[in-house]
Amino acid sequence: MFDADALVAAVRGFGPDLVLHELTDLPDDVSHLAERRTANARIRREGTRNLVAAAHAAGATRFVAQSVAWPLSGESAAAVAEHEEAVLAFGGVVLRYGQFYGPGTYFESSRPGHPRIHIDNAARRTVPQLDAPAGVVVLADDPAVIDPAVIDQPGRPV
């Protein structure tokens, strides 16, 4: 993600119609989350810029990227805003997921607070969004409980 030339070459070589950006730089252990915020912000900013440029260079016509459906602060919030702006400028779709729960997540045996979505439902509900029109889509168990400040751009809760 951070070697722009290599990324362009790889994406061009594949020649996709659609680029699906689900990358993060999050730790496996939630207790290390705070120390990894800067790395995750970097992938949202620099990684997204590089991937958008690679998608353009490869002639991709669709771009879909994950984001979060809860408010963040500081550098994390700024990085999410930059990430989403780049996706929307491409004419892409931003998928604002609730916090994942279920097997392989930080919440394997419990449910986090809202907004949340079971990992299996997130995967199942992502597929139709690959053909969604440009904009913001919220993927959560109950989109009605999402902080209205998070839904500040055109989108449709699903």
Side-chain angles (χ1 to χ4, degrees), residues 6-29:
L7 185 59
V8 166
V11 176
R12 270 190 178 152
F14 186 71
D17 295 322
L18 178 140
V19 172
L20 178 62
H21 176 359
E22 292 280 353
L23 296 170
T24 63
D25 195 349
L26 298 172
D28 291 334
D29 183 338

Side-chain angles (χ1 to χ4, degrees), residues 97-124:
Y97 292 104
Q99 295 181 88
F100 297 139
Y101 66 95
T105 71
Y106 292 150
F107 301 98
E108 288 191 301
S109 59
S110 64
R111 289 184 180 176
H114 289 289
R116 64 180 177 233
I117 187 166
H118 191 279
I119 192 69
D120 293 341
N121 289 336
R124 181 181 49 78

Side-chain angles (χ1 to χ4, degrees), residues 92-156:
V93 178
V94 172
L95 302 177
R96 289 186 181 159
Y97 292 104
Q99 295 181 88
F100 297 139
Y101 66 95
T105 71
Y106 292 150
F107 301 98
E108 288 191 301
S109 59
S110 64
R111 289 184 180 176
H114 289 289
R116 64 180 177 233
I117 187 166
H118 191 279
I119 192 69
D120 293 341
N121 289 336
R124 181 181 49 78
R125 291 167 59 187
T126 295
V127 173
Q129 304 313 316
L130 300 179
D131 292 320
V136 176
V137 177
V138 176
L139 296 170
D141 286 349
D142 186 358
V145 300
I146 298 195
D147 182 338
V150 173
I151 306 175
D152 61 356
Q153 298 177 33
R156 52 204 183 288

